[in-house]
Amino acid sequence: MSIDVNSLIERIVKEEVEKFVESNDKVASDIVPVGVSARHVHVSQKDLEVLFGENATLTKKKELMGGQFAAEECVTLLGSKLNAIEKVRILGPVRQETQVELAKTDAIKLKINAPIRESGKISGSASITIVGPKGAINLNEGCIIAKRHIHMSPKEAAAMNVIDNDFVNIKVPGERGGIFTNVQVRVHDTYTLEMHIDTDEANAFGIKCGQHLKLIK
């Protein structure tokens, strides 16, 4: 029986390519890039105009995921006893409510007892004062430490076998490695895969922005 060598080679190559793709898909399905979020502020249009003047708008500096962006505009944060942190960037677009997100170290410096919360859930959170070039806002609540979380699209969530509001663990390699527990999964069509932690968490584990970490369930 004669053998078509070319067909045989073609079939073998195709099988090996399929194995390679399948293997890499399995590896990719548990690898998450990390973004390190510095302290920042989200503002309502009303509060933006108090801080920067009537009809003020945000000037886009850098595109972020989900239609968000880092703005050129910055403010000063005042805590109790007038402790201050200057040049804190605003993220746009404007929101329904103004919110300040800090790392724990920032909260200690400002002498604020900010709770760990999911972004947007500010009821009963810490008070803080925001100062802009045209005015100041005294928030009775709205200052939080953001809960660590992973943004992902529905397709990425399916590949990782997780759903919105699941909680997973993330393994960090290296000399100061360890495991992040209680990492919230947030799924939306506008999201791309990225874990968000604050500067305290990144520094404690020796993590750099853009580093790839492993999801474990």
Side-chain angles (χ1 to χ4, degrees):
M1 182 177 66
S2 62
I3 299 176
D4 186 337
V5 176
N6 290 333
S7 296
L8 179 60
I9 293 174
E10 183 179 343
R11 180 168 61 83
I12 293 172
V13 170
K14 182 179 179 181
E15 289 175 352
E16 292 302 314
V17 168
E18 288 175 349
K19 289 179 184 178
F20 176 80
V21 171
E22 182 181 356
S23 174
N24 277 271
D25 282 345
K26 288 179 180 178
V27 172
S29 69
D30 62 4
I31 300 300
V32 180
V34 63
V36 181
S37 297
R39 64 183 81 100
H40 60 271
V41 177
H42 301 280
V43 294
S44 66
Q45 182 60 38
K46 178 182 177 181
D47 288 346
L48 177 64
E49 293 189 25
V50 172
L51 296 168
F52 290 89
E54 188 177 359
N55 298 322
T57 58
L58 293 173
T59 307
K60 190 176 297 184
K61 178 181 175 69
K62 180 182 178 181
E63 290 279 359
L64 303 174
M65 75 167 62
Q68 295 192 82
F69 60 88
E72 295 282 358
E73 289 75 17
C74 294
V75 293
T76 296
L77 302 179
L78 294 181
S80 62
K81 299 183 180 179
L82 299 182
N83 292 332
I85 298 178
E86 298 179 336
K87 298 181 179 180
V88 180
R89 192 165 303 282
I90 295 176
L91 300 189
V94 294
R95 292 191 175 188
Q96 290 295 318
E97 295 183 281
T98 296
Q99 172 181 297
V100 177
E101 296 185 29
L102 302 175
K104 182 63 176 180
T105 299
D106 300 325
I108 291 171
K109 179 176 181 179
L110 294 173
K111 299 187 183 303
I112 290 175
N113 187 24
I116 298 173
R117 294 281 183 82
E118 181 182 350
S119 180
K121 296 186 177 181
I122 60 174
S123 178
S125 58
S127 61
I128 195 168
T129 298
I130 306 173
V131 181
K134 298 293 185 179
I137 301 162
N138 296 307
L139 295 181
N140 291 324
E141 59 183 18
C143 182
I144 65 170
I145 297 170
K147 182 180 294 184
R148 61 178 75 113
H149 58 277
I150 304 172
H151 290 283
M152 61 180 72
S153 69
K155 182 178 179 180
E156 290 160 340
M160 294 191 177
N161 195 28
V162 295
I163 61 174
D164 190 42
N165 284 322
D166 270 355
F167 285 85
V168 297
N169 298 331
I170 296 291
K171 185 176 181 180
V172 183
E175 187 175 2
R176 304 197 72 184
I179 295 176
F180 283 116
T181 61
N182 300 319
V183 183
Q184 185 178 18
V185 174
R186 296 170 61 181
V187 181
H188 195 276
D189 290 335
T190 62
Y191 292 161
T192 53
L193 185 62
E194 189 171 67
M195 177 182 176
H196 285 175
I197 57 176
D198 64 32
T199 49
D200 282 358
E201 293 169 314
N203 290 336
F205 281 77
I207 296 171
K208 294 183 179 179
C209 198
Q211 186 172 340
H212 287 72
L213 308 178
K214 183 180 179 65
L215 184 148
I216 51 179
K217 298 178 67 178

